[in-house]
Amino acid sequence: MTTMTARERTIQEQFSLRMDEGELLNCMRCGFCLPSCPTYIETGFDESQSPRGRIALMKAVHDGLIAPDEEVERSLNLCLGCRACEPVCPAGVNYGHLLEEARDIFADHNEFKPATKAIRKTVFEGLFPHQNRMEHAVTLLGIYQRSGLQKTARKLGFMKLFPDSMQAMERALPAVPKRSDMKKRGRSFTALAEKKATVAFFSGCLMDTMFLGTNNATVKLLQKAGCDIVIPDGQNCCGALHGHSGEKDGAKELAKRNIDAFEQTNADYIITNAGGCGAFLIDYDHLLKDDPDYSERAKAFTAKIKDITQILFELNFHERVGLNVNPQVITYQDSCHLRNVMHTHIAPRVLMQSITGAEYREMDNADSCCGSAGIYNIVESDMSMQILDHKMDKAKATNAHTIVTANPGCLLQMKLGIEREGLSESVRAVHIVDLLLEACDEFPL
């Protein structure tokens, strides 16, 4: 056994206890995952930055063959968690589950600097679990945008104190709604066509604040598709940010609250419009598999999860509603989690290809990660921007006027890419929900 510090021995023991050895052994080292891994490609084919290499590192730590040192932790942290390796794995290795467990073990025993510890506590405990605080935070951003502070900060060059990527991100932020708008939306809506289903809408945290307009558009589309809709009180953040950042206990608590809230609706389906949220929600059965009170309830919950594009496709929305936009070329950037975890990629394409006036052009490697990955573009900015630059090369090759996405992180990242490329006057990025409502507003049922 490698000589280890006391902390490393503790982490190694936790790897032995908590990591799924059967899952680690399922990896056949075949390498089918390598061409699908962004960090493997971007690092010049560094094996330690591939799914196969990371699983090998996890297994070596599990077996006590290597120390869980900074190099191992760095390899795990540089992973985007896009899970593009899973659909191409012939053995069906659940890499995402292994990655989250390993990160959680490291986080449990990390000695964070005081500033980092304070930020993590604020984000994971003080902000995201509390929707009213999310509303306050976004309201402050709205005041910054509408009061003239934003223009003043730009005019004085204040933003130049930040890295280029942060400057571009500030320019790419959407105009956020007022708090009064966040509060006035109802909690139940009736179908505007022949009723096909009763659905419960998972409104999310950022989606129901910064992207409130997209949530409202989602409700309208569901109504037009023939759905009665309920938006349950008591729901909260899905927990994805916690789960991906080594805060598994926090993710579990948020999951339990959501299950409690949605059980009361008796809906046929639970609808999401954010690929990252949907993928985490649909994994609640794994997250809570060892909880005697919630394991079966989590299975029932996850069985009802559908993305908005999937239910619109299944209800033949595109065949029953006239869809028309001004002539434009559109392309699509897959949400990694929507495609790789929820296995939803045909439905959005069929919907877009049904829009008269829109010429759909498939982007090369549309299924590869854009580099957003939650807060990855903040904590791993260099790698994120490297990936984004290559993604924008693919997007520009389509000559698209509109880049369509199905996840808020992807949307902001593509807006950022448009800003970085100086294309904001000729190219836009939109959520697919907003594009569909734009296309059908002139054709109410």
Side-chain angles (χ1 to χ4, degrees):
M1 181 182 287
T2 307
T3 302
M4 303 183 196
T5 65
R7 172 180 172 273
E8 289 173 343
R9 280 196 301 273
T10 301
I11 292 174
Q12 190 276 320
E13 289 168 359
Q14 288 300 302
F15 263 70
S16 293
L17 290 170
R18 291 171 51 182
M19 296 298 292
D20 187 335
E21 185 174 16
E23 199 71 77
L24 290 170
L25 289 170
N26 277 343
C27 178
M28 303 184 297
R29 313 291 191 263
C30 65
F32 280 20
C33 58
L34 301 182
S36 300
C37 179
T39 53
Y40 175 72
I41 295 168
E42 296 293 342
T43 56
F45 312 113
D46 182 347
E47 183 71 26
S48 70
Q49 301 303 336
S50 72
R52 179 174 70 177
R54 291 183 176 111
I55 290 174
L57 290 174
M58 292 181 216
K59 182 66 166 64
V61 171
H62 174 278
D63 294 344
L65 299 177
I66 64 172
D69 56 18
E70 291 182 2
E71 189 173 338
V72 173
E73 186 175 12
R74 177 63 184 149
S75 173
L76 298 179
N77 286 341
L78 197 60
C79 178
L80 290 141
C82 68
R83 296 172 72 168
C85 51
E86 292 184 12
V88 298
C89 177
V93 176
N94 289 304
Y95 172 80
H97 296 167
L98 292 172
L99 177 67
E100 288 180 3
E101 192 68 27
R103 283 178 170 173
D104 192 57
I105 293 170
F106 270 105
D108 282 347
H109 300 89
N110 266 345
E111 298 174 357
F112 293 113
K113 295 178 180 178
T116 302
K117 186 181 293 186
I119 291 172
R120 289 178 68 92
K121 185 175 179 63
T122 298
V123 170
F124 295 124
E125 297 179 27
L127 182 59
F128 277 86
H130 307 282
Q131 190 62 16
N132 62 326
R133 296 178 189 176
M134 289 292 295
E135 291 172 1
H136 280 302
V138 172
T139 298
L140 292 175
L141 176 59
I143 292 172
Y144 166 74
Q145 290 178 333
R146 292 187 292 270
S147 67
L149 283 173
Q150 185 178 52
K151 290 181 180 179
T152 301
R154 291 175 179 178
K155 187 176 181 179
L156 294 176
F158 177 74
M159 293 307 300
K160 292 181 180 179
L161 298 174
F162 297 90
D164 290 345
S165 60
M166 293 294 289
Q167 294 179 45
M169 190 176 296
E170 188 267 349
R171 293 194 299 272
L173 286 173
V176 302
K178 297 178 180 178
R179 193 150 193 256
S180 57
D181 293 330
M182 300 179 206
K183 290 293 188 183
K184 71 181 182 182
R185 189 198 53 219
R187 287 291 177 177
S188 63
F189 304 84
T190 56
L192 296 178
E194 179 186 354
K195 183 181 173 183
K196 302 289 185 180
T198 297
V199 302
F201 178 40
F202 181 81
S203 52
C205 48
L206 273 180
M207 287 303 300
D208 218 33
T209 50
M210 187 177 292
F211 298 97
L212 179 66
T214 301
N215 270 6
N216 290 341
T218 301
V219 170
K220 291 178 183 178
L221 289 178
L222 289 169
Q223 287 180 287
K224 289 175 181 287
C227 295
D228 284 350
I229 308 152
V230 59
I231 306 176
D233 287 320
Q235 63 170 299
N236 47 224
C237 172
C238 67
L241 183 62
H242 294 72
H244 301 329
S245 304
E247 296 285 339
K248 198 170 183 179
D249 287 343
K252 288 180 178 179
E253 287 307 310
L254 293 172
K256 291 175 184 178
R257 286 190 222 164
N258 282 325
I259 291 172
D260 290 343
F262 280 86
E263 278 179 338
Q264 309 303 316
T265 67
N266 294 314
D268 301 311
Y269 307 108
I270 298 170
I271 305 302
T272 73
N273 61 6
C277 295
F280 201 74
L281 293 171
I282 212 168
D283 257 355
Y284 276 6
D285 57 343
H286 172 76
L287 182 68
L288 298 172
K289 62 182 172 58
D290 297 321
D291 190 301
D293 295 325
Y294 280 88
S295 59
E296 292 302 316
R297 295 164 66 186
K299 289 178 184 177
F301 176 90
T302 60
K304 292 185 176 183
I305 300 293
K306 281 186 186 292
D307 183 69
I308 175 65
T309 59
Q310 187 63 37
I311 193 168
L312 291 178
F313 172 73
E314 291 176 4
L315 295 178
N316 294 315
F317 173 81
H318 54 296
E319 295 178 356
R320 296 189 295 108
V321 179
L323 298 173
N324 194 307
V325 294
N326 292 327
Q328 59 189 279
V329 176
I330 65 175
T331 192
Y332 182 60
Q333 165 59 29
D334 281 284
S335 157
C336 293
H337 287 141
L338 182 60
R339 183 179 184 114
N340 300 326
V341 183
M342 297 186 74
H343 309 300
T344 300
H345 56 94
I346 294 174
R349 286 170 168 81
V350 170
L351 292 170
M352 286 183 287
Q353 290 167 3
S354 302
I355 302 174
T356 301
E359 178 189 345
Y360 179 78
R361 294 180 187 171
E362 182 74 12
M363 186 194 309
D364 189 25
N365 293 333
D367 58 344
S368 67
C369 187
C370 64
S372 172
I375 58 171
Y376 188 94
N377 55 3
I378 298 174
V379 299
E380 297 289 351
S381 179
D382 289 344
M383 177 60 75
S384 176
M385 294 304 103
Q386 189 174 323
I387 293 170
L388 176 59
D389 288 344
H390 290 157
K391 175 61 67 174
M392 289 306 300
D393 289 341
K394 305 296 185 184
K396 288 188 295 183
T398 68
N399 292 314
H401 306 101
T402 302
I403 302 173
V404 186
T405 75
N407 185 61
C410 302
L411 179 60
L412 288 177
Q413 186 79 339
M414 298 315 296
K415 284 179 177 287
L416 175 58
I418 290 169
E419 284 286 340
R420 284 167 61 86
E421 296 290 335
L423 298 173
S424 57
E425 297 300 318
S426 58
V427 181
R428 63 172 181 161
V430 300
H431 193 290
I432 189 170
V433 162
D434 295 309
L435 178 67
L436 290 172
L437 186 64
E438 175 186 321
C440 76
D441 256 354
E442 296 179 10
F443 303 92
L445 288 168

